[in-house]
Amino acid sequence: MQTRGVPLVVLSALCLVVNAGVSRVVLRAGVDAGLLTTARVTGTVVLLLAAAAVCRRSALVPPGGRLLVLLVVHGAIGVAALQWTYFVAVDRLPVSLALLLEYQAPVLVALWARLVQRESVRPRLWWGLALAVLGLAAATEVWQGARFDLVGVLAGVGAALTFSAYFLLGEAGVGAVDPVRVMLWSFLVAAVAMNLLAPLGALDPGLLGRTAPMLGALDGLSVPVWAGLAWIVVVGTLVPFGLILVALTSTPATTVTMVAMLEPVGVAVLGWAWFGESLSPVAIGGILAVVVGILLAQSARRPHLQTEPPSLV
């Protein structure tokens, strides 16, 4: 049955939704976005290396030739740059807006396919694009004069661009490799790149032992910073991606990608319930319009090109 992996994708999306909130808690505790990215990818690659050494030793062998080049670019842009821009956006913007900006990526992929690759697409691409843009305006209620954070918005746009690169690199051939191998080597490249830019050694060891308030509705509670980082690595990265890998063994990637669109909707609800962010009826309608618009744009592509890998944030 081609949809039996759907519950796994839903659980994966829930992990990523909660991860957005935990990430904000850690960022507001004083962990720099660059260092948080370094900690996340480095911790993930250490656990992946250990798992591969025990269960999948073939994944320890890097692919050669063109695929190796693609994996290097995939790790540097599709993993490291994506997660850095994601963390900056989550820290500076309402989490719902940060995710809505990031999830313009499927629309950008469809536009790339049409305008650059000259792929024939269905007319609903343009309807989907228009609906997504209008929905974003409604979701953020721009006419209300909300505070405009240029750095946060640029980071959200950067997350959309790097997320698009993740999709397109997958189509270029990375997706043909063993998924565990792809994840391991992409994260290894990302860990090396991030440790050059924001070395993990710069993370204050004393900060790890401090407690971080949970903010918003949970402000009376606190967790150690190290526990928040561990959550981001394990529950916010390894678990959701592992669930996606299992889901892809029985469910088409197109279905997985569509179900994963629950993430920005869930994050909008989380932002309202946890952080007290505005979620008016107009904003709710805008969020739904964004999701419908993205699905319309993505479905406008030819079926044989819809082979994107799932989100890593």
Side-chain angles (χ1 to χ4, degrees), residues 9 24 29 43 47 51 64 97 125 157-158 173 177 183-184 193 195 197 200-201 207 215-216 224 234 245 265 277 290:
V9 185
R24 171 172 282 188
L47 294 179
L97 175 56
L125 167 67
V157 172
V177 184
M183 187 178 181
L184 171 60
N195 274 281
L197 294 171
L200 192 59
L207 180 60
L215 308 174
V234 178
L245 290 179
V265 177
E277 295 174 355
V290 169

Side-chain angles (χ1 to χ4, degrees), residues 5 26 36 85 91 104 129 131-132 140-141 147 153 164 179 199 215 219 222 246-247 279 291 295:
V26 172
L36 178 54
T85 51
D91 185 36
Q104 298 302 304
L129 176 60
L131 189 59
T140 56
E141 297 183 317
R147 183 173 64 87
V153 170
S164 302
L215 308 174
D219 197 40
S222 61
V246 176
L279 196 62
V291 174
L295 294 180

